Amino acid sequence: GKVHWQNGQLITVQTPYEETQRVYYFREVSVEKKVPFTEDILYQDEHKIIVYKPHFLPVTPGGDYVNECLVHRLRIRTGIDTIAPAHRLDKDTAGVMLMTVNPDTRHAYHQLFLDGTIRKTYQAVAKLNDSLPTPALPQTWTVKNRLERGVPSFTMRVADGVSNSHSEITLLQINRGLGLFELEPVTGKTHQLRVHMQSLGMPILYDRFYPELQPKGDDNYQQPLQLLAKRLQFIDPITQQINDWQVNDLVI
């Protein structure tokens, strides 16, 4: 009763094989912790939902989380079981996300990311590099390098070779040795912004992966990763309306 076809029809040991079909299964975890933060729906129509995802909440099921994820919460909250994410956002990252609702128009929103016609702006807080001279703000960096899977494989590392990642990073404010940065990913590699900030000698505050992987343990809700998907801008491919969604700044 936990394996079924995409249309919801159950699969049993007597079900005939069907080629090139997608199969779904229900995975269970022994204990699933409640994430004590709430998502916020910023906008909803028949094609999409714009949502604020809090820190610590995964977008989709994975690891120790099945029901405690953004997709499941939104499906329960709205009664719409076709909700799916149009892009990724790390579990530890908060911010604005685009979710698709209508399977018939979903591809149009995915195409925004493939074509690079959607603009994502992030903010981060990091301890300033001691070797960084007191700058006249704003100060900018263009970071281009090659990112490959690290060890363990869920981490990324800078490798030799032709660059496959590109971020534009700007220091906006300084306060007590900390900097508030604006980050624009031109490409979309896994953990790109986190690794690019590390490569500048300024890893994002409370990052448990970079520059050194921390032992696995319970999330510290008092110290969320200081990375925020601040703003999402695009022209809706269905309505042709300009969309510009943003949330409050990080504070230093």
Side-chain angles (χ1 to χ4, degrees), residues 3-12 15-25:
V3 183
H4 58 87
W5 299 116
Q6 188 171 6
N7 65 4
Q9 182 181 357
L10 290 179
I11 296 173
T12 70
T15 301
Y17 166 76
E18 295 186 28
E19 63 179 11
T20 69
Q21 296 301 307
R22 182 168 293 185
V23 174
Y24 292 80
Y25 73 99

Side-chain angles (χ1 to χ4, degrees), residues 38-41 51 71-80:
T38 304
E39 71 285 352
D40 185 16
I41 294 176
V51 62
V71 168
H72 183 74
R73 283 189 179 186
L74 289 175
R75 288 177 177 178
I76 296 298
R77 182 171 170 177
T78 64
I80 303 171

Side-chain angles (χ1 to χ4, degrees), residues 27-35 58 60-69 91 216-219:
R27 186 173 59 85
E28 296 177 325
V29 293
S30 56
V31 177
E32 187 170 3
K33 291 186 178 181
K34 180 76 174 175
V35 177
T60 55
D64 296 330
Y65 298 90
V66 176
N67 295 319
E68 278 298 280
C69 70
K91 164 182 170 287
K216 186 176 180 178
D218 292 338
D219 289 322

